[in-house]
Amino acid sequence: MAVIQQGLGLLMALSVASAVLAAEPAPTPTPSHYITDQLTASLRAGAAKEQKAINQIRAGEPVQIMEKAPGTGFVRVRAASGPEGWIEAERVVTTPPAVARFAELETRFNAAVSELEGMKASLPEREVLQRQSHELQVRVVELENQLETLTEQNAVLERRFQSEVMYAGALIVLVGLVLGWGVSAMRGRRRDGWH
């Protein structure tokens, strides 16, 4: 019986949280550009891949495009956190990536749960909550579906990052082997030349 009551209480809490989210004022305008879902992006000193990386920007960070370098595929950006530099234009998108949407949704969900707890403590009648519960259940399901979708996208990004780290490690080992072989071959030639 206590488990059923706890379950009903949780369902009511989620229903009220959904109503709170629906009644929230519209969010303030968001920036028009974001860093893509790749985990980080390098800011470079100039408009070319050969230029030195001077900083890193995390996925989902808002940026402002300052200028474009025609024919290079690079744009100069200023990140919301302050750094400026050049980055491949393909890394800058106009739609917030999954990382940013997931964080926003999680923040809104946590705020709604907190507000719900406060409302539960201050509501004088249980009937009011029960009447609203039926309408809000649909909205709670939508919110849970969005959270599940973004969680899956986050898992895909994490797997992509792990494979990129593995490829980078393999490349470093290969370069080390080639350099070692080259140095060894040069030493062998020097010895042969002195005899």
Side-chain angles (χ1 to χ4, degrees):
M1 185 68 173
V3 172
I4 293 172
Q5 287 177 339
Q6 287 177 345
L8 287 173
L10 180 60
L11 182 59
M12 285 186 216
L14 289 174
S15 296
V16 172
S18 180
V20 169
L21 286 176
E24 282 184 4
T28 56
T30 56
S32 60
H33 295 87
Y34 299 85
I35 297 302
T36 61
D37 271 333
Q38 294 177 9
L39 295 179
T40 60
S42 295
L43 285 179
R44 301 195 177 277
K49 288 186 179 183
E50 300 80 20
Q51 292 289 326
K52 177 182 173 186
I54 56 175
N55 213 323
Q56 294 285 319
I57 301 179
R58 294 178 57 95
E61 180 162 356
V63 294
Q64 179 182 6
I65 294 179
M66 307 302 289
E67 70 177 287
K68 296 179 181 182
T72 66
F74 276 76
V75 292
R76 188 169 63 88
V77 297
R78 178 182 300 135
S81 59
E84 274 189 44
W86 291 90
I87 189 168
E88 294 97 341
E90 66 190 36
R91 300 291 303 273
V92 180
V93 294
T94 56
T95 305
V99 171
R101 293 190 318 259
F102 180 82
E104 178 188 348
L105 187 59
E106 187 174 42
T107 300
R108 289 178 60 198
F109 182 79
N110 290 337
V113 168
S114 296
E115 191 167 339
L116 173 64
E117 293 301 322
M119 289 173 65
K120 277 175 56 178
S122 66
L123 281 178
E125 297 180 8
R126 191 172 182 179
E127 291 87 26
V128 173
L129 190 59
Q130 288 174 343
R131 252 185 281 131
Q132 294 176 348
S133 141
H134 180 68
E135 299 170 6
L136 300 174
Q137 287 175 3
V138 173
R139 296 187 69 76
V140 169
V141 168
E142 290 173 3
L143 186 62
E144 289 172 342
N145 288 341
Q146 288 177 358
L147 188 60
E148 183 178 1
T149 299
L150 291 173
T151 301
E152 290 170 4
Q153 289 175 349
N154 241 9
V156 168
L157 289 174
E158 198 164 309
R159 286 193 298 273
R160 184 188 308 165
F161 174 73
Q162 289 172 355
S163 69
E164 287 176 4
V165 166
M166 184 181 72
Y167 290 137
L171 182 60
I172 289 170
V173 168
L174 181 62
V175 168
L177 289 172
V178 168
L179 287 175
W181 176 79
V183 168
S184 173
M186 288 175 65
R187 285 184 181 161
R189 285 183 191 157
R190 285 186 187 157
R191 287 186 193 139
D192 290 346
W194 289 345
H195 290 300

